[in-house]
Amino acid sequence: MRAVIQRVSHASVAIEGNIKAQIGNGLLILLGVEESDGQEDVEWLVRKVANLRVFDDENSVMNRSIMDCGGEFLVISQFTLFASYKKGNRPSWIKAARHEISIPLYEQFCDKLASESHLPVKTGEFGAYMQVELMNDGPVTICMDTKNKE
């Protein structure tokens, strides 16, 4: 699994011009699933995201997690995180998981993130054409890959 995690002051996702979900302070997570991903990837990534210390403490140092200070999550499925661009200029999506693998893992990630963090987790719509709007706060952007844990 790959995730691009952005600390935001607000974010929203629209489908066909209608807002599907929006959050205030929190984390926007673009999540990609590949064929070899499984439950262990979900569990590792949820723990890392929920405990990621990217929020300021009383000394303006990034030392608090979203669970320490509250907030919301907006999780957007993003198969393009697995783009292969080595040949030519048109990306290949061959590494992105098929729907029968990616949908259950995406849903498990969202459910586990909500249960572990006890915070709201809002989503886009899997497979839909979406417009994501955000105000990156910091800016703070972290990229994680469960196949590169070290």
Side-chain angles (χ1 to χ4, degrees), residues 86-102:
K86 296 198 187 235
K87 291 183 181 179
N89 293 317
R90 183 170 186 267
S92 166
W93 319 116
I94 192 99
K95 287 186 164 186
R98 298 177 316 262
H99 282 201
E100 56 269 19
I101 294 170
S102 55

Side-chain angles (χ1 to χ4, degrees), residues 15-137:
I15 300 169
E16 295 181 6
N18 299 312
I19 300 291
K20 162 94 168 58
Q22 56 189 354
I23 63 170
N25 287 321
L27 296 175
L28 168 66
I29 302 167
L30 305 176
L31 183 68
V33 179
E34 72 176 311
E35 288 288 321
S36 62
D37 287 334
Q39 188 63 39
E40 64 282 352
D41 297 286
V42 170
E43 291 176 15
W44 183 87
L45 191 57
V46 164
R47 276 193 312 276
K48 291 302 268 187
V49 169
N51 292 291
L52 189 62
R53 296 184 339 184
V54 294
F55 292 90
D56 290 350
D57 63 15
E58 60 280 351
N59 298 314
S60 297
V61 175
M62 285 193 285
N63 201 28
R64 299 176 76 199
S65 73
I66 192 169
M67 293 189 303
D68 295 329
C69 59
E72 303 171 281
F73 295 100
L74 178 57
V75 183
I76 306 295
S77 61
Q78 181 99 31
F79 76 92
T80 61
L81 291 177
F82 283 102
S84 176
Y85 45 83
K86 296 198 187 235
K87 291 183 181 179
N89 293 317
R90 183 170 186 267
S92 166
W93 319 116
I94 192 99
K95 287 186 164 186
R98 298 177 316 262
H99 282 201
E100 56 269 19
I101 294 170
S102 55
I103 292 172
L105 289 176
Y106 169 79
E107 291 172 351
Q108 287 172 29
F109 176 85
C110 294
D111 292 344
K112 186 154 183 68
L113 187 60
S115 67
E116 187 153 318
S117 70
H118 304 288
L119 295 170
V121 175
K122 298 179 179 174
T123 65
E125 183 179 313
F126 196 96
Y129 183 84
M130 297 176 274
Q131 295 82 39
V132 179
E133 188 172 287
L134 66 124
M135 178 66 68
N136 191 313
D137 182 26

